[in-house]
Amino acid sequence: MAELAEGRGRFLNQIINGAVYHCEMTSWAFSAHLWMQKQRGYFPDHDERIVEMGAGKVASLLAWIYYFLKPELDQINPLIAKRIRDEVEKRVLSPYMEIDNFWWMGFTELSGKVNNWNTWCNSYVLQCFLLLEDDSSRLAGAIYRIMDSLDCFINYAYDDGACEEGTFYWEYSAGRLYECLQLLHDCTGGAISVFDKPIIINLGEYIVRAYAGKGWTVNFSDATARDKINADLLFRYGKATQSKEMTGLANQLRKIGPNSNAIPDGDIYDIFQSLLHRKEFIADDTVCSPASSTWYPDSEICYMNGGDGFFVAAKGGHNGECHNHNDVGSIIVYSHSIPVFIDPGVGTYERKTFGKDRYSLWTMQSGYHNLPEINNFSQKDGAEYKASEVLFEPERMELSLDMAKAYPQEAKVNKWVRSCRMKNDSVVIRDSYSLAECMSPVRIRFMTWGSVVVPEPGVAVVSVGGEKVRMTYDKTAFSISIDPIHIDDPRLYNIWGGEIYRLSLVARSQSLSGSYTYVISRC
């Protein structure tokens, strides 16, 4: 960026060092993705090229270096630009055109679900072809192939626009899809343009509806509760789709974000596009008020805004979603945008996160979400463990669902209907149940990062971030315990600090059927 801005050659030696360094690497793929090799394992095979986001990111950066700086590089040594072009060709361009079974492409029956990998990888590959390919016939074939692959993502995505992977992945799924569509629009002079399609708009506006305010976002699935949204990207997406929701939130984020002269976030293409639209962005004055409620019927996610500063996120769905946590029926409660009863989120990615031991991690377990433990059983993972009889009534601001099927048969749950209703000054959660057998008293869990006091039986008061709320419950039905959970994972620590707390309402006795009510209100 400095060399392009200055154009005096001061940075060329280091650009060459970086480019040749990468050209000498055995693989550009992330080490965690080398399981895609035929040889498996995590040692890179120099005879096999893996196309994924790590390889794509390096390839696209080298392609931009080649595109802008080839004349200057050739003056130093013609072998440099030639090497860059050759390496991108053999590592990304040729494999992309010749191999159908990269699962994220969506071209084979074995692909199953496609996710953010599809749009993330395709955006890099499209950049490389547009910057490097001189053969118009091959370029047309590559663009058609990329469009075909992107169609697989659009066809798999929910029509309502919800991102089942969580808000953290919005930038890499919907955001990268937008970048692909913008590139296709620009390189065809607008002949390819689908920005007016409802699903494209819905995918973009998902992040707006999931924004709780003050930098906090709903963090179901593998997301962090305080995620940085790329405001420049959101603005461009909003302008392309004429969505005032997106441009309105982008403006709000810009005003609380860094200085307008700061270098934008993102990869090199993202930075170029952000700088190109920066003046327009700064001049934009769109304002958009949050929706009173949002219901995603495909993913069964619900958001409700209350009149007394409460915002609630609740979900049904199933426990086989991409980046799933076992959290069917869980509820997150915010007070004036500050999360009070929380979803802890996901820790730093490690080997267990994406393997057979995923649900040995406490952050993935229903026992560490705002959910019941029934007959000593937590929810199970798998698409068959799901919500049923899900109903959202916007006029009542109420979501209800039966989460009995989210628990294993051994839990002996016939029915467990949870409802969450937003009133003007409170959030009312009600559990109505029917059990086939009583083996152990139920435990109702609530997670928080605030300080908790129990001033009297039946009342728990949570204070955090200047907010103070009380949760009332039936003192004759429950005793309460408060257990600290030490946090040392950096990704969680940076959000919650060194400790969060698990409130457990423990039933004093257990019957085969009954109901419980918990009311959250302001102190």
Side-chain angles (χ1 to χ4, degrees):
M1 293 296 294
E3 182 57 40
L4 292 178
E6 189 178 89
R8 290 162 52 188
R10 277 205 301 151
F11 305 99
L12 284 176
N13 281 348
Q14 284 296 73
I15 291 170
I16 293 168
N17 284 342
V20 175
Y21 167 82
H22 281 89
C23 288
E24 291 290 339
M25 291 177 68
T26 302
S27 174
W28 294 339
F30 291 139
S31 59
H33 298 162
L34 294 179
W35 58 265
M36 297 170 66
Q37 296 177 156
K38 294 184 179 67
Q39 293 291 333
R40 301 295 180 178
Y42 293 92
F43 189 85
D45 183 353
H46 73 283
D47 289 327
E48 185 176 5
R49 304 304 179 185
I50 301 298
V51 181
E52 43 75 82
M53 61 280 279
K57 183 174 183 176
V58 174
S60 65
L61 178 57
L62 292 179
W64 284 104
I65 290 171
Y66 181 94
Y67 179 81
F68 278 119
L69 299 177
K70 183 179 183 301
E72 289 83 355
L73 298 178
D74 283 348
Q75 287 182 8
I76 296 171
N77 192 320
L79 292 176
I80 300 167
K82 181 179 184 302
R83 177 71 185 279
I84 291 173
R85 176 65 177 80
D86 289 348
E87 292 295 336
V88 175
E89 174 66 43
K90 70 181 181 182
R91 293 172 187 256
V92 172
L93 303 187
S94 290
Y96 185 87
M97 297 301 290
E98 296 167 3
I99 301 173
D100 286 337
N101 62 356
F102 292 124
W103 68 269
W104 54 265
M105 291 174 146
F107 291 155
T108 70
E109 292 181 2
L110 298 176
S111 294
K113 305 188 244 188
V114 291
N115 62 4
N116 67 85
W117 280 49
N118 179 285
T119 51
W120 201 348
C121 297
N122 275 312
S123 67
Y124 289 135
V125 174
L126 181 56
Q127 290 174 52
C128 291
F129 272 108
L130 290 172
L131 293 168
L132 299 181
E133 186 53 67
D134 295 324
D135 184 327
S136 59
S137 178
R138 188 181 188 227
L139 178 59
I143 289 176
Y144 187 89
R145 185 172 174 83
I146 291 166
M147 291 170 60
D148 200 14
S149 179
L150 290 171
D151 267 344
C152 295
F153 174 83
I154 296 171
N155 291 340
Y156 178 75
Y158 294 130
D159 288 341
D160 60 23
C163 178
E164 69 175 9
E165 301 168 274
T167 51
F168 173 79
Y169 283 99
W170 177 86
E171 181 173 342
Y172 306 105
S173 53
R176 297 292 177 161
L177 175 64
Y178 156 71
E179 289 192 342
C180 289
L181 298 179
Q182 190 67 60
L183 280 163
L184 292 169
H185 175 280
D186 293 347
C187 77
T188 62
I192 297 174
S193 182
V194 294
F195 291 127
D196 60 337
K197 302 302 180 185
I199 189 172
I200 305 302
I201 300 170
N202 291 343
L203 285 165
E205 290 181 346
Y206 166 76
I207 195 66
V208 179
R209 303 300 181 94
Y211 183 66
K214 298 180 181 177
W216 295 95
T217 52
V218 175
N219 62 318
F220 293 135
S221 302
D222 275 1
T224 50
R226 199 169 181 84
D227 200 11
K228 185 177 181 181
I229 300 172
N230 187 329
D232 287 284
L233 173 63
L234 185 63
F235 174 77
R236 300 197 312 272
Y237 199 152
K239 291 295 289 186
T241 57
Q242 299 182 34
S243 167
K244 290 185 177 180
E245 287 197 28
M246 280 190 265
T247 54
L249 178 59
N251 278 317
Q252 181 182 335
L253 295 171
R254 173 173 55 83
K255 290 172 184 176
I256 64 174
N259 187 293
S260 297
N261 293 321
I263 292 179
D265 291 327
D267 297 325
I268 193 74
Y269 171 74
D270 194 27
I271 292 173
F272 286 144
Q273 287 292 299
S274 295
L275 292 174
L276 186 65
H277 293 86
R278 182 54 68 86
K279 288 183 179 180
E280 182 186 14
F281 185 13
I282 294 172
D284 193 89
D285 58 359
T286 305
V287 177
C288 187
S289 300
S292 60
S293 67
T294 303
W295 168 236
Y296 291 100
D298 297 324
S299 58
E300 298 177 351
I301 291 175
C302 177
Y303 305 136
M304 292 179 280
N305 272 299
D308 197 33
F310 282 115
F311 174 71
V312 167
K315 75 181 297 291
H318 60 82
N319 285 332
E321 297 161 345
C322 191
H323 291 273
N324 172 71
H325 295 204
N326 288 341
D327 60 353
V328 171
S330 192
I331 296 167
I332 309 172
V333 180
Y334 302 78
S335 177
H336 293 119
S337 299
I338 305 298
V340 179
F341 293 107
I342 67 173
D343 183 321
V346 63
T348 303
Y349 281 169
E350 56 170 294
R351 191 185 191 111
K352 287 183 178 180
T353 311
F354 298 105
K356 60 182 177 60
D357 298 320
R358 178 178 176 86
Y359 295 96
S360 69
L361 300 171
W362 67 270
T363 54
M364 307 295 171
Q365 300 168 13
S366 66
Y368 295 89
H369 291 74
N370 302 319
L371 288 164
E373 180 182 290
I374 306 170
N375 281 326
N376 283 330
F377 284 94
S378 297
Q379 292 184 9
K380 285 280 288 180
D381 55 289
E384 67 272 28
Y385 298 99
K386 60 185 179 181
S388 60
E389 300 178 24
V390 183
L391 176 65
F392 176 61
E393 300 176 85
E395 65 282 357
R396 283 176 53 84
M397 292 284 274
E398 182 174 22
L399 174 70
S400 63
L401 56 91
D402 185 356
M403 54 186 176
K405 293 180 181 177
Y407 291 81
Q409 290 184 350
E410 294 84 354
K412 305 296 184 181
V413 191
N414 292 331
K415 193 175 257 324
W416 195 289
V417 176
R418 166 163 285 190
S419 67
C420 177
R421 186 178 181 188
M422 175 76 73
K423 294 188 175 181
N424 286 336
D425 58 354
S426 62
V427 178
V428 180
I429 303 169
R430 182 180 174 86
D431 286 333
S432 300
Y433 66 90
S434 171
L435 305 178
E437 187 177 339
C438 295
M439 298 180 286
S440 177
V442 69
R443 291 173 171 82
I444 310 296
R445 311 290 196 187
F446 287 94
M447 307 296 297
T448 186
W449 66 312
S451 62
V452 186
V453 296
V454 181
E456 59 183 283
V459 178
V461 176
V462 179
S463 303
V464 63
E467 296 298 310
K468 193 172 185 179
V469 303
R470 59 189 284 147
M471 181 177 70
T472 59
Y473 56 92
D474 186 348
K475 63 184 179 182
T476 64
F478 292 108
S479 62
I480 187 170
S481 65
I482 304 166
D483 301 309
I485 299 171
H486 178 68
I487 301 292
D488 56 11
D489 180 283
R491 189 172 180 182
L492 296 174
Y493 185 93
N494 290 337
I495 302 296
W496 309 119
E499 206 165 60
I500 62 174
Y501 305 92
R502 182 167 74 165
L503 279 65
S504 297
L505 302 181
V506 184
R508 297 184 186 277
S509 62
Q510 192 65 56
S511 59
L512 291 175
S513 62
S515 64
Y516 306 123
T517 301
Y518 334 100
V519 179
I520 300 166
S521 58
R522 200 169 312 288
C523 288

